Every structure is written in structure tokens, then in C-alpha cells.
Amino acid sequence: MKLALKFLPIIKATSFQLRNFRALGAMACSRYEYVKNYEVQDVLLPNVWIIIRIDGKGFHKFSLNLMTSAAQTVMEKFSDIILSYGQKTNVYNRRSSKLLSYVTSLFTSCYVMYWPQWMGNQKLTYPPSFDGRVVLYPSDQNLRDYLSWRQADVHINNLYNTAFWNLVQKKGLTNKEAEAKLRGTYAAYKNELLFSEFGINYNNLPGMFRKGTILLRKQVNRTKHDISKQLIVPFHEDMISDIFWKKHSELLADKYSPGLYTQTDDDVVPESFIRKVEKISVE
Amino acid sequence: MKLALKFLPIIKATSFQLRNFRALGAMACSRYEYVKNYEVQDVLLPNVWIIIRIDGKGFHKFSLNLMTSAAQTVMEKFSDIILSYGQKTNVYNRRSSKLLSYVTSLFTSCYVMYWPQWMGNQKLTYPPSFDGRVVLYPSDQNLRDYLSWRQADVHINNLYNTAFWNLVQKKGLTNKEAEAKLRGTYAAYKNELLFSEFGINYNNLPGMFRKGTILLRKQVNRTKHDISKQLIVPFHEDMISDIFWKKHSELLADKYSPGLYTQTDDDVVPESFIRKVEKISVE
Amino acid sequence: MKLALKFLPIIKATSFQLRNFRALGAMACSRYEYVKNYEVQDVLLPNVWIIIRIDGKGFHKFSLNLMTSAAQTVMEKFSDIILSYGQKTNVYNRRSSKLLSYVTSLFTSCYVMYWPQWMGNQKLTYPPSFDGRVVLYPSDQNLRDYLSWRQADVHINNLYNTAFWNLVQKKGLTNKEAEAKLRGTYAAYKNELLFSEFGINYNNLPGMFRKGTILLRKQVNRTKHDISKQLIVPFHEDMISDIFWKKHSELLADKYSPGLYTQTDDDVVPESFIRKVEKISVE
Amino acid sequence: MKLALKFLPIIKATSFQLRNFRALGAMACSRYEYVKNYEVQDVLLPNVWIIIRIDGKGFHKFSLNLMTSAAQTVMEKFSDIILSYGQKTNVYNRRSSKLLSYVTSLFTSCYVMYWPQWMGNQKLTYPPSFDGRVVLYPSDQNLRDYLSWRQADVHINNLYNTAFWNLVQKKGLTNKEAEAKLRGTYAAYKNELLFSEFGINYNNLPGMFRKGTILLRKQVNRTKHDISKQLIVPFHEDMISDIFWKKHSELLADKYSPGLYTQTDDDVVPESFIRKVEKISVE
């Protein structure tokens, strides 16, 4: 078994001429066209939440902002589409492969293109790549549970990793020793360890690491004189609690329209993001 | 219906620690983990040819070399995988979504990363993106018919476009007039038009435009003193004829190993590609 | 392309011995076992309504009771399963093909087996067969809309057919003439036609024909002295209205348990069904 | 989660009238018709072998002839269809669910209907049912390997069971003792055991038990004066060997037409089957 990779850039761009032509003289083509029937329909079930999960390997903390930036652009590009979802229309007629591959491709594209903007002098030495998959969730509760699951994972991983690397880098333990010390311990133990041994209050660490980044489409009032603008705003809030879903009640509302958001001085949203989004999508 | 986009970069990188940990203290997670069961298996049928088709919109001829370069890198990255296919093992256990999204992502990544190399001073002003799909073909004949179909399309499109743009650019016809003049005409008419009106022998135009680009893995002997090297070589040959499949008989052979290829002076393979491939994958 | 039909009755019954054995001496088998990997997983999305639609062709009104009887037995056989659904367990692990083919098969089996009971002297002259399909509906509203759609269809068909056959059988019109007379007419016209020409008040015709038959699992109190029994009871009610869903509120309740039902004298439920169900499943 | 079973016998029969009507006055319907879009397309990949496997539980050896008889009728009913496969047309447009459920239903129907014919005085006390699934095999070798796998299983099971029941019934061993005696033993041991202890030459046992039953469509010459007839003939041959596929070479031929078969006196085909098939499909 071999993988036949075929890249077909020219064809789509001129496909309308082709169609005109085909009806008349191009009989030679038709003999092969039966192969079109081998394409499998993969339309997604209507009336369910669509999660597109994009994974990458070997990325580190420093690229988190780059990731967020790439995700913001994907949301900007899909802005009409999300709106039309609210209006019960269909992105790509819900064709699973098309939706999945396009979103993954756009995310990758932004990641490479915005690299210099976020990573400074660090050079990109290899073509980074991501894989994705589509999962469907029928109910609002399923959606909330999915997001709670992901956020609980982020918490557990980040707490473990924070303790682990402090033991290794500040106490000089080997990886093995640090692992042995932490194996089977509860969150409370690791919190206490961080505080007593390293003077770290875990809950004061940046929300981006403890909670992950959630991007929401919001109407933002930035200053008194501003007319509100629709922006894609990063949040680092607790999605497990009910508070999040009340505060952002537009998310599960029957008719979707971006929620209102008034920025305050002590807001956790980094200025850099707000500026970036404005630059691209508003001004 | 709304699209919930979630990008989860941290989690995968540290998943092994998570697993150690979860077995002991992390009971809080388990309540949500049922959502994992909503993922649908999408394993591809074994023993068939897998075509991954990648489409993009709004690209023009000048990016053809960039496309080829991106495709070459995808083939380089998948070299073990294709080999392991030959040995009857499985890429990503034939999971359709993973395979599709990864290949599309890697192609996009290369496209953006190699842009400056091929497009000179022309700036990339937007994040380019592609969508893909997987189609399965059970028999060798199906595979050949698929490729014949694509190549017949390339031919028809390119002949039409060559005639069209010559009429517009050299004769000053409007787009509408040119379209009217060509509507419903046969290949012979367009060939004759190009020759008598513009002195163009269509068959002498670059094979890249008339035939498209086919990338094959080959053992290449470049000079007498060279030890042969495995390269990914671009061809612009006629895949509809039997000759192609005899010349590259390794493609449909039961046990795949890259064919031998001796480069000659009048070879159509552009020097630039050969150099590029060596640079990346061999030296 | 040919259809390879293979019926394999023996194997499953003794599969446990096979497995014991296989581990030791049966090396000859293993060479072929790779073919198992060609089976595609077809697990249904959790947390959605599953509709199994069973169609047959060439059946007439007289077999309606037989159909109902067959459907009752299917519900009896699946009684634990529906209960376990309520408890969030899974029939056949939600394997689509298995669920679909088993239910269709059992329905067919009952149809042939109960034929003499319902069709009297009329002989079964050919093996009747049905085809089925599985459709998923995520929300309660989707489920109600699906059932409303089917019941609206039953109404339109039955009104048309009643008018059509009265015109043909009582007025002597040809099929073509009757069709022409009814083409494009509204329900009101056909109601009026039935009343003025044939003295038929459409709304007084049997509910079974106007509304179709709905089978529900109910706790039935039949007499004062009876302890209530769980029966599968046929209804011919209007599922489009809210009343139906309030009356049978257990259907959309989070925790399913059969509703209570007190039979009255003027009840539309035919006595024959109640007796039949008791005979099989209760006494 | 609950299972919504809906049996819809009337609708299909009159669907053509419905369509006429719907276009004009039946606006009430359209509000619900969106639910049709929830049906998933499940068209099977072209150009592959389709195996429909039908399983049942709790059946015993005495119903083997009944099974064969049911399978024969399925083949008779699908005779045009198989022929049209040979002509590259499509049964039910290759819709997987429809094909699977119809074939399983027809098989069940025949099983119940022909029960009295084959099971004599033994009454059918419950509605028997079967489940099925569709598996695709791309190459001829895959098909042969699948059938070899099934036939090897039949052999292993039958040899084990023959030894097991002889030990239990003739030697008075308990089930446990018999199992212990046979556990881990090779075929040679069981063959020797049957011969030395019970005087049974395993290879002389009926082919139906040792090899299973294969039904093939054949042109049969029964007597000198007969014009050949197309029959569905049961065989109990070794499908693992090449001989079978040479003898019945029509099976893997590009253009399918039933093979010729001349019946001889010592033929293993039971007379009863031949007669039955003639009765139904020929005379």
C-alpha cells in the first residue's frame, strides 16, 4: 500500500471555464470522470455543537501568544460564518473534511506568518504542522463538560509541571527524583510545596498558564468616547463554574450575538492582543 | 448553532505526566471524561489507494514552483511513512481526519515558510489556506483513471487559458469577446489559433503548465562519480499513456522501492529543484 | 462487481471454544484473520434520539394490525434495553448496523410468524421483507418535528386515498379521472367532497388510518381489582399538538419510566391488542 | 436516552400521490420536513467486494438446511441485482443501510416461512431474529482470505465439537472433563481420538458440517435431454485451495456469468435442494 500524494493547484482557479468547455468538445475527459463517485459524503449531523480540536507537538510555552494570535485570525476569517451559524445556515454545507482541513490549514498559515511578530529573533527552523479532528456534542451540557474536561487537564498539567520544574531548576533534583517526589500526590500537596519551598502562590501565576486561553467574540467599549467595536478577546477564566456561562450568556443563547464587554483597568487581557485585533479587523 | 473553536496547545506535550497523575489523585477530572466517547472512529479501509487532494483558491501561476516545493517537503517528511506503507504498516493507524489534517497543515506550513524563497520581493499579505479531502480507490486502474482525469483537466484548462489570454493581451479582445470566440471550440481549433495568430506551438510550452507536476521518489545518478541518492524529483509527463507506468513501474509494484533515474542533459527537470531537494534532505 | 452472500450460522454459537483453542494449535487460521480489520466501526453519537425507520412495499391496509402486532413484540423484546437506555447504558454499544439489522430482522420475523393470527385464511404466498435505516435527532424538538412530519404525511395520504377510492369505487371514475379531479386540491375540498358526495365525515373514520398507530409502554389499570401491569399500548392520537406530549410526559422526561394509563369504556384501543399483549408478556 | 421505534408501513406505498399533492396545498408539512436533512448518506465505496454477514444466536445443526433454503431464496430474489452488478450497475445505489437491512429482513422472512417445510413437527415457539453487517474487501485476494478464514473456523469448531460431544455422550465425561481433555490439543490429536476411541473417520463426516455450505449460481445440466437451467446450487467444497477458484472461475472473472455445472450420480448436492430451487425459480 502506498500513499499517492497529489497537489492540484491550477485546476480550481479556472474551473468555471472548464465547465463551459466540457459540455461541448471535451469528450476525452468523461471516460475518467466516474472516479468522482468514489468521494464519500461526510456531512455532519445538524443541530449539534461542533468542536474542531487542533493539536501540535513539540511546542513550548513561549509560543502560546503566537497560538492565540493564530486562533484570533481564524475567528476573524470565520466571522460571517459564525454569525450565519447563529442564523442556522451552514459552513461548507457541514462537510466535515472540508471544514476540518480548512480550519487547520488557516491556523497553520497564521502560525508561520505571525511567527516573527511574536517570537522575536528566534528563527523558525522547520515547517511546523498541526493535526485536527471534528467531534460533535449534542447538548449544551455536553459542550460545557467537554470544556471543563480540557480545563481540568490544563490545571493538573500546569500544577504538576510548575512543581516539577521548580524542583529540578531551583533545588537541583534530577528529572527522576522530581517525578518520584510528586508521584501520587494531591493538588493540595503540590500547592503547599510551591508555597513553602519556593514562595510561590500558585493562584497568583498567570491565568494563561493555569486556565488556558479562551477567545470570545465581544462588543468592546474601550474608552468613554469610543463607539463599541466587535473584537475577539482572550479570557483566562474558569469555564467549570456556572459564573462563566452566566457572564457570557450569549454563548448558549438560542440566537447568537456577541456579548458586551467593558474593559477595566485591572483587566487581565493583555494590551498587545487588543491592539493586534483592532489593527487587523477593525481599523 | 455555533462553532466552538478551541485550540489546545499545552496539553499534548505533557500528556505522559498527566496519565501518571490521573490514576491517583485527580478524581475531579473523571466526571467530564465521558465526552471522549463522542469521538467517532474514522479508520480508512485497508488495501486501497489513498488520495489526499489539497485545494486552494486565488493562487496564480507564479506560485506553482512554491507549491511544488511545499509538496516536496511533505513527501520528505512522510518518507518513512510511505516506506512503511510499502511494508504494510499504517500511518496514524489510517485515521482519516488525522492524516488529512496533518498533511494539509504541513503543506500550508511549507507554503508560507518557503514563500520568500520563491516569490522574491512579492510580499505575502494574507494568511493563505487550503482545504483537503481523502478519497479511496480500490484498484490500480482506478488510481490511473483518477490521475488521467486530473491531467486531462489540466490540459483542457491550460489550452483554453493560453488561447484566452493571448486573445486578450495580444489582440486586445475583451474577456467577453475572447470567451465568445472560444466557446464550444475543439482542441484542434485552439491549437491552430495559437499557431496561426500568435506563432505559438502549444506542444512546445513548458510541460509544467501542459501536464502539471508529478513528484516521484527516485534513486538519482547525477554524475559518473556520484553515488546515487534518493531524491524527490518533479516530472511533467503524460500519465494517461501506458509509457509512464512502465517507465515508473515501481509505483504499482507490489513491493514499493523508489525507481532508478538517470538524469540527462536535456532533461526537463529544472536544476533549481534538484538543488533544493539535495540541500534539504541529503547534504 | 459481485455480491458475495455468506450465511454463517454455526460459528457464533461455539465461538468461546474456538478462542480457547486458537491460542494453542490453530496457527493455520491466523494468516487470514487480518480481514477482521476491514470491518468499519459504526458507533452512533451518544445523547441523541435514535429513530429506526422500517419500510416495506406492497402492503395494504388489512395488514396494519399485523404490523402493529409485530411492532409490539419488538418493543417487548427490547424492554430491558429501553430501560437500560434510561439508565444511560448502551444497546449493542450503539453499533449502528447491528442495531438496525437486528430490529429489522425481529420485526420481519414477527410479521411472518403472526400472519395466520391476523390475516385469517389469506395465505402468505411470498417471503415479505422490509428495509430500515437509522437517523439521529439531537434535540427533543427535532424528535417531535420528525414525528409531526410523519403524521402530517399519514393525514395527507389517507385523506387523498379515501377521496380517490370513493371516486373510483362508488362513482365509477377511472384512476386517471379521479387523480385529475383531486390534483392540486386542498384538504378542505376533499373533506367537503367526501361529505357531500359520499356522506362521509372524515374525522369519524378510524384513528388508525387518520393518525397512524403509536405504541407506548404504559402501566395500565384495567379493572378495580387489577394490580397495574406494564403493557405496550397502541394509541392513535395527534402527536403534532402539545397535548400529546403533556399527556405522555414520561417520553421526554430525563428519567424514563412508563407512564400510567387508565383504560376507559370508550377507549379507542382495540380490545384485541390488549389481550394479545397480556398473553405474550404478562400472563 | 430512549429508543424511539416508529413503524411506517402506509407511507411508502402511496408516496407518489403524496408528491403530487405536496407541491400544491400541503404547506403544513413543510415546517417539519427539515428533519429529512438529518439522514446520513452511507453509500458504499465502488469497485470492492461487498460481504453481508448475517448472524443468529441459539440455532442448532438441525436448522442448517433451513438456513440454506432461506439463503437460496435471498439469492433468487437478488438474481437481477447480482447480474446488474456484473454489468456495473448499483443495488439500491449502494446505500449500505438499505442493502443490509433488506437482505437481513428477507433472510429472516424466509427462515420463518420455510420453517414447517424443513423442521417437520417441531414448532417455532419464538420469533427468530438475525443481525447483519456489511464489510468491504478491495481485492480478490482479500475476498478469498475472508472466505478461507471463515472456513478454517468452521473446521476448527466442528472438529472440536465432534470430539467434545462424543466424549460426553459416548464416554460419559462431564462437559468440564471433556473440555480439559481437549484443551490445547492439535487437530491431529482430535482426529486420532475420534478414530481410535469412536471409530469415526472425521474426513468421512458430511461436508456440510466440515466445510459449511456455499451457494453458487450455476447453469445445471441435469439429464441428457434437459436444456440447462440456471439454479442456485449448494456446495461443500474447500474454498482455501486454488482448485475451488479454478473450478468456479466465473466468480472472480471480470464479466460475471454463472458457471456451467454437470451433475453426476455421486454428487454431494442433496436432491431436496435441487428440487426446491426448480420449483420456485424455474418451473
Side-chain angles (χ1 to χ4, degrees):
Chain A
M1 191 51 31
K2 282 142 279 172
L3 184 69
L5 279 169
K6 185 79 177 46
F7 300 91
L8 307 160
I10 299 171
I11 293 137
K12 287 278 145 169
T14 57
S15 61
F16 89 97
Q17 284 114 330
L18 175 60
R19 243 171 275 130
N20 289 340
F21 191 75
R22 200 181 273 155
L24 296 152
M27 303 306 281
C29 283
S30 58
R31 209 175 106 210
Y32 307 119
E33 276 196 63
Y34 78 91
V35 295
K36 278 168 114 173
N37 298 323
Y38 287 63
E39 295 194 14
V40 167
Q41 287 238 11
D42 61 349
V43 178
L44 296 167
L45 186 68
N47 200 18
V48 296
W49 289 94
I50 302 169
I51 300 257
I52 300 176
R53 196 178 64 212
I54 296 180
D55 292 323
K57 269 175 197 158
F59 298 96
H60 52 74
K61 282 187 172 183
F62 303 115
S63 65
L64 272 183
N65 285 334
L66 173 55
M67 294 254 178
T68 302
S69 175
Q72 271 182 315
T73 311
V74 172
M75 275 188 83
E76 281 159 22
K77 280 264 183 173
F78 268 81
S79 78
D80 295 336
I81 293 166
I82 289 176
L83 192 68
S84 68
Y85 258 119
Q87 297 165 357
K88 302 286 183 209
T89 50
N90 297 317
V91 203
Y92 294 137
N93 296 317
R94 302 181 78 81
R95 275 181 288 152
S96 182
S97 298
K98 188 152 186 145
L99 188 61
L100 168 63
S101 60
Y102 177 65
V103 170
T104 312
S105 174
L106 184 57
F107 182 84
T108 309
S109 188
C110 296
Y111 188 91
V112 179
M113 198 170 160
Y114 300 151
W115 176 278
Q117 222 168 305
W118 293 97
M119 303 304 277
N121 292 328
Q122 200 180 334
K123 267 279 190 174
L124 187 57
T125 53
Y126 63 99
S129 60
F130 301 86
D131 66 82
R133 74 176 299 159
V134 169
V135 192
L136 304 180
Y137 291 104
S139 72
D140 290 358
Q141 193 56 50
N142 291 149
L143 177 71
R144 285 191 55 177
D145 289 348
Y146 176 79
L147 294 172
S148 296
W149 178 49
R150 303 322 300 149
Q151 198 165 50
D153 257 23
V154 165
H155 166 66
I156 290 165
N157 283 323
N158 190 61
L159 180 57
Y160 182 96
N161 289 335
T162 306
F164 181 89
W165 290 112
N166 272 289
L167 287 170
V168 168
Q169 288 166 355
K170 296 191 186 155
K171 288 273 174 203
L173 270 66
T174 64
N175 285 12
K176 233 176 175 168
E177 287 165 350
E179 208 190 303
K181 192 173 176 64
L182 296 173
R183 191 180 302 135
T185 63
Y186 285 85
Y189 172 85
K190 285 187 276 284
N191 272 317
E192 179 57 29
L193 177 84
L194 284 171
F195 190 72
S196 60
E197 303 262 336
F198 306 103
I200 293 171
N201 185 337
Y202 181 75
N203 288 326
N204 293 342
L205 294 183
M208 178 164 63
F209 300 136
R210 287 183 299 112
K211 300 292 179 194
T213 300
I214 309 141
L215 294 173
L216 299 178
R217 202 178 300 282
K218 288 285 183 188
Q219 292 293 127
V220 178
N221 291 317
R222 297 203 61 219
T223 72
K224 287 160 199 166
H225 314 295
D226 248 15
I227 298 163
S228 84
K229 292 166 182 173
Q230 184 173 317
L231 300 180
I232 294 152
V233 185
F235 291 88
H236 311 294
E237 302 181 351
D238 181 0
M239 292 187 292
I240 297 175
S241 74
D242 288 335
I243 299 165
F244 177 86
W245 298 95
K246 278 177 193 153
K247 184 177 164 194
H248 307 291
S249 60
E250 76 275 12
L251 290 173
L252 300 180
D254 270 352
K255 296 203 177 184
Y256 180 81
S257 66
L260 193 70
Y261 173 73
T262 306
Q263 208 181 21
T264 58
D265 285 347
D266 57 339
D267 209 306
V268 291
V269 178
E271 185 65 12
S272 53
F273 279 108
I274 297 297
R275 248 185 283 116
K276 191 185 152 293
V277 176
E278 285 183 310
K279 203 174 59 199
I280 288 182
S281 71
V282 185
E283 278 150 23
Chain B
M1 192 49 34
K2 282 142 279 173
L3 184 70
L5 279 170
K6 186 77 177 47
F7 301 90
L8 307 160
I10 298 171
I11 293 137
K12 288 277 145 170
T14 58
S15 61
F16 90 96
Q17 285 114 330
L18 176 59
R19 244 171 276 129
N20 289 340
F21 190 76
R22 199 181 275 154
L24 297 150
M27 303 306 280
C29 281
S30 58
R31 207 175 108 212
Y32 307 120
E33 275 196 64
Y34 77 90
V35 294
K36 278 168 115 173
N37 299 322
Y38 287 64
E39 295 194 13
V40 167
Q41 288 237 10
D42 60 350
V43 177
L44 296 168
L45 185 68
N47 199 18
V48 295
W49 288 96
I50 303 169
I51 299 258
I52 300 177
R53 195 178 65 213
I54 296 181
D55 291 322
K57 269 175 198 158
F59 299 96
H60 52 74
K61 281 189 173 181
F62 302 115
S63 64
L64 272 183
N65 285 333
L66 173 55
M67 294 255 175
T68 302
S69 175
Q72 272 182 314
T73 312
V74 172
M75 275 189 82
E76 280 158 24
K77 279 264 184 172
F78 268 82
S79 79
D80 295 338
I81 293 166
I82 289 176
L83 192 68
S84 69
Y85 257 121
Q87 296 165 356
K88 302 287 182 209
T89 51
N90 297 316
V91 203
Y92 294 140
N93 296 318
R94 302 181 78 82
R95 276 182 288 152
S96 181
S97 298
K98 189 151 185 147
L99 187 61
L100 169 62
S101 60
Y102 177 64
V103 170
T104 312
S105 174
L106 184 57
F107 183 82
T108 310
S109 188
C110 297
Y111 187 90
V112 180
M113 198 172 160
Y114 301 151
W115 175 279
Q117 221 169 307
W118 293 97
M119 304 303 279
N121 291 328
Q122 201 180 334
K123 266 277 190 178
L124 187 58
T125 53
Y126 64 98
S129 60
F130 301 86
D131 66 82
R133 75 175 299 158
V134 168
V135 192
L136 304 181
Y137 292 103
S139 72
D140 290 358
Q141 192 56 49
N142 291 150
L143 177 71
R144 286 190 54 176
D145 288 347
Y146 176 78
L147 294 172
S148 295
W149 178 50
R150 304 321 301 148
Q151 199 166 48
D153 258 21
V154 165
H155 166 66
I156 290 165
N157 283 323
N158 190 60
L159 180 57
Y160 181 96
N161 288 336
T162 306
F164 181 89
W165 290 112
N166 272 289
L167 287 170
V168 169
Q169 289 166 354
K170 296 191 185 156
K171 288 274 174 196
L173 270 64
T174 65
N175 286 13
K176 230 173 176 170
E177 288 166 348
E179 206 190 305
K181 192 174 177 65
L182 295 173
R183 192 179 302 135
T185 62
Y186 285 86
Y189 172 84
K190 285 187 275 284
N191 271 318
E192 179 56 28
L193 177 84
L194 285 172
F195 190 72
S196 60
E197 303 262 333
F198 307 103
I200 293 171
N201 186 336
Y202 181 76
N203 288 326
N204 293 342
L205 295 183
M208 177 163 65
F209 300 136
R210 287 183 298 114
K211 299 291 178 194
T213 300
I214 309 142
L215 294 173
L216 300 179
R217 203 178 300 283
K218 289 285 182 185
Q219 292 293 125
V220 177
N221 290 318
R222 295 202 64 219
T223 71
K224 287 163 200 164
H225 314 296
D226 248 15
I227 296 163
S228 83
K229 292 166 181 172
Q230 185 173 316
L231 300 180
I232 294 153
V233 184
F235 291 88
H236 312 294
E237 302 180 350
D238 181 0
M239 292 188 292
I240 298 175
S241 73
D242 288 335
I243 298 165
F244 177 87
W245 299 94
K246 278 177 193 152
K247 184 176 164 194
H248 307 290
S249 60
E250 75 274 11
L251 291 172
L252 300 180
D254 270 353
K255 296 201 176 185
Y256 180 82
S257 66
L260 192 70
Y261 173 72
T262 305
Q263 207 181 21
T264 57
D265 286 345
D266 57 339
D267 209 306
V268 291
V269 179
E271 185 64 11
S272 53
F273 278 108
I274 296 297
R275 248 183 283 114
K276 194 188 149 293
V277 177
E278 286 184 310
K279 202 172 61 200
I280 290 182
S281 70
V282 185
E283 277 149 26
Chain C
M1 193 49 31
K2 283 142 277 173
L3 185 70
L5 280 169
K6 186 78 179 43
F7 301 91
L8 307 159
I10 298 170
I11 293 138
K12 288 276 146 170
T14 57
S15 60
F16 89 97
Q17 284 114 330
L18 175 60
R19 244 170 275 130
N20 289 340
F21 191 76
R22 201 180 274 156
L24 296 152
M27 303 306 281
C29 281
S30 58
R31 209 175 105 210
Y32 307 120
E33 275 196 66
Y34 77 92
V35 295
K36 278 167 115 173
N37 299 323
Y38 286 64
E39 294 195 14
V40 167
Q41 287 238 12
D42 61 349
V43 178
L44 296 167
L45 185 69
N47 199 19
V48 295
W49 289 95
I50 302 169
I51 300 257
I52 300 177
R53 196 178 66 211
I54 296 180
D55 292 322
K57 268 176 198 157
F59 299 95
H60 53 72
K61 281 187 172 182
F62 302 115
S63 65
L64 272 183
N65 284 334
L66 173 54
M67 294 255 175
T68 303
S69 175
Q72 272 182 316
T73 312
V74 172
M75 275 189 82
E76 281 159 23
K77 280 264 184 170
F78 268 81
S79 79
D80 295 336
I81 292 166
I82 288 176
L83 193 69
S84 69
Y85 256 121
Q87 297 165 357
K88 302 285 181 212
T89 52
N90 297 317
V91 203
Y92 294 137
N93 296 319
R94 302 181 78 81
R95 275 182 289 151
S96 182
S97 298
K98 188 151 187 148
L99 187 61
L100 168 63
S101 60
Y102 176 64
V103 170
T104 312
S105 174
L106 184 56
F107 183 83
T108 309
S109 189
C110 297
Y111 188 90
V112 179
M113 198 172 161
Y114 301 151
W115 176 280
Q117 221 168 306
W118 292 97
M119 304 303 279
N121 292 328
Q122 200 180 335
K123 267 278 190 177
L124 187 57
T125 52
Y126 64 98
S129 59
F130 301 85
D131 67 82
R133 74 176 298 157
V134 168
V135 192
L136 304 180
Y137 291 104
S139 73
D140 290 358
Q141 192 56 50
N142 291 149
L143 177 71
R144 285 190 54 174
D145 289 347
Y146 177 80
L147 295 171
S148 296
W149 177 50
R150 304 321 303 149
Q151 198 165 49
D153 257 21
V154 165
H155 166 66
I156 290 166
N157 284 323
N158 189 60
L159 180 56
Y160 181 97
N161 289 335
T162 307
F164 181 89
W165 290 112
N166 271 288
L167 287 170
V168 168
Q169 288 166 356
K170 296 192 187 155
K171 288 276 174 198
L173 270 64
T174 64
N175 285 14
K176 231 175 176 169
E177 288 165 349
E179 207 190 304
K181 193 174 176 64
L182 296 172
R183 191 179 303 135
T185 63
Y186 285 86
Y189 172 85
K190 285 187 275 284
N191 272 317
E192 180 56 28
L193 177 85
L194 284 171
F195 190 72
S196 61
E197 303 261 334
F198 307 104
I200 293 170
N201 185 337
Y202 181 75
N203 288 326
N204 293 343
L205 295 183
M208 178 164 64
F209 301 136
R210 286 183 299 111
K211 300 291 179 195
T213 300
I214 309 141
L215 295 174
L216 300 178
R217 202 177 301 282
K218 289 286 182 187
Q219 292 293 125
V220 177
N221 290 317
R222 295 202 63 219
T223 72
K224 288 161 201 165
H225 314 295
D226 248 16
I227 297 162
S228 85
K229 292 166 181 171
Q230 185 174 315
L231 300 180
I232 293 152
V233 185
F235 292 88
H236 312 293
E237 302 180 350
D238 181 1
M239 292 187 292
I240 298 175
S241 74
D242 288 336
I243 299 164
F244 177 87
W245 299 94
K246 278 176 193 153
K247 186 177 163 194
H248 307 292
S249 59
E250 75 274 11
L251 290 172
L252 300 180
D254 270 353
K255 296 200 177 187
Y256 181 82
S257 66
L260 192 69
Y261 173 75
T262 306
Q263 207 180 22
T264 58
D265 285 347
D266 57 339
D267 209 306
V268 291
V269 180
E271 186 62 13
S272 53
F273 278 108
I274 298 296
R275 249 184 281 116
K276 193 188 150 291
V277 176
E278 286 183 311
K279 204 172 60 198
I280 289 183
S281 70
V282 185
E283 274 149 28
Chain D
M1 192 50 31
K2 283 141 279 173
L3 185 70
L5 280 169
K6 185 78 177 48
F7 301 91
L8 306 161
I10 298 170
I11 294 139
K12 286 279 145 169
T14 58
S15 61
F16 89 97
Q17 285 115 332
L18 175 59
R19 245 171 273 131
N20 289 339
F21 191 74
R22 199 180 274 155
L24 297 150
M27 302 306 281
C29 282
S30 58
R31 209 175 106 211
Y32 307 120
E33 275 196 64
Y34 78 90
V35 295
K36 278 168 114 173
N37 299 323
Y38 286 65
E39 295 194 14
V40 166
Q41 287 237 11
D42 61 350
V43 177
L44 296 168
L45 185 67
N47 199 18
V48 296
W49 288 96
I50 303 169
I51 299 258
I52 300 177
R53 195 178 66 212
I54 296 180
D55 292 323
K57 269 174 197 158
F59 299 96
H60 53 73
K61 281 189 173 182
F62 302 116
S63 64
L64 273 183
N65 284 333
L66 173 53
M67 294 256 178
T68 303
S69 176
Q72 271 182 315
T73 312
V74 172
M75 275 188 81
E76 280 158 23
K77 279 264 185 173
F78 268 81
S79 77
D80 296 336
I81 293 166
I82 289 176
L83 192 68
S84 69
Y85 257 119
Q87 297 165 355
K88 301 289 181 208
T89 51
N90 297 316
V91 203
Y92 295 138
N93 296 319
R94 302 181 78 82
R95 276 181 287 152
S96 181
S97 299
K98 188 151 187 146
L99 187 62
L100 169 63
S101 60
Y102 177 64
V103 169
T104 312
S105 174
L106 184 57
F107 182 83
T108 310
S109 188
C110 297
Y111 188 90
V112 180
M113 197 171 161
Y114 301 151
W115 176 280
Q117 222 169 305
W118 292 98
M119 305 303 279
N121 291 328
Q122 200 180 333
K123 266 278 191 176
L124 187 57
T125 53
Y126 64 99
S129 60
F130 301 86
D131 66 82
R133 74 176 301 160
V134 168
V135 193
L136 304 181
Y137 291 104
S139 71
D140 290 357
Q141 192 56 49
N142 290 150
L143 177 71
R144 285 191 55 175
D145 288 348
Y146 177 79
L147 294 171
S148 296
W149 178 49
R150 303 323 299 148
Q151 199 165 50
D153 257 23
V154 166
H155 166 67
I156 291 165
N157 283 324
N158 190 61
L159 179 57
Y160 182 97
N161 289 336
T162 306
F164 181 89
W165 290 112
N166 271 290
L167 288 169
V168 169
Q169 288 166 355
K170 297 193 186 152
K171 289 272 175 202
L173 270 65
T174 65
N175 285 11
K176 233 177 174 166
E177 288 165 350
E179 208 190 303
K181 192 173 176 63
L182 295 173
R183 190 179 304 136
T185 62
Y186 286 85
Y189 172 84
K190 285 189 274 285
N191 271 318
E192 179 56 30
L193 177 85
L194 284 172
F195 190 72
S196 61
E197 302 263 336
F198 307 105
I200 292 171
N201 185 338
Y202 181 76
N203 289 325
N204 294 341
L205 295 183
M208 178 162 65
F209 301 136
R210 287 183 299 112
K211 300 290 179 194
T213 300
I214 309 142
L215 293 174
L216 300 178
R217 202 178 300 283
K218 288 285 182 187
Q219 292 294 125
V220 178
N221 291 318
R222 296 202 63 219
T223 69
K224 287 163 199 164
H225 314 295
D226 248 13
I227 296 163
S228 84
K229 291 165 182 173
Q230 185 173 316
L231 300 181
I232 294 151
V233 185
F235 292 88
H236 311 294
E237 303 179 350
D238 181 0
M239 292 188 292
I240 297 174
S241 74
D242 288 334
I243 298 165
F244 177 86
W245 299 95
K246 278 178 193 152
K247 183 175 163 195
H248 307 291
S249 59
E250 76 275 11
L251 290 172
L252 300 180
D254 270 351
K255 296 202 175 183
Y256 180 81
S257 66
L260 192 69
Y261 173 72
T262 306
Q263 208 182 20
T264 58
D265 285 348
D266 57 338
D267 209 306
V268 291
V269 179
E271 185 65 11
S272 52
F273 278 108
I274 296 296
R275 247 185 284 115
K276 193 187 151 293
V277 177
E278 285 184 310
K279 202 172 62 200
I280 290 183
S281 71
V282 184
E283 276 148 26

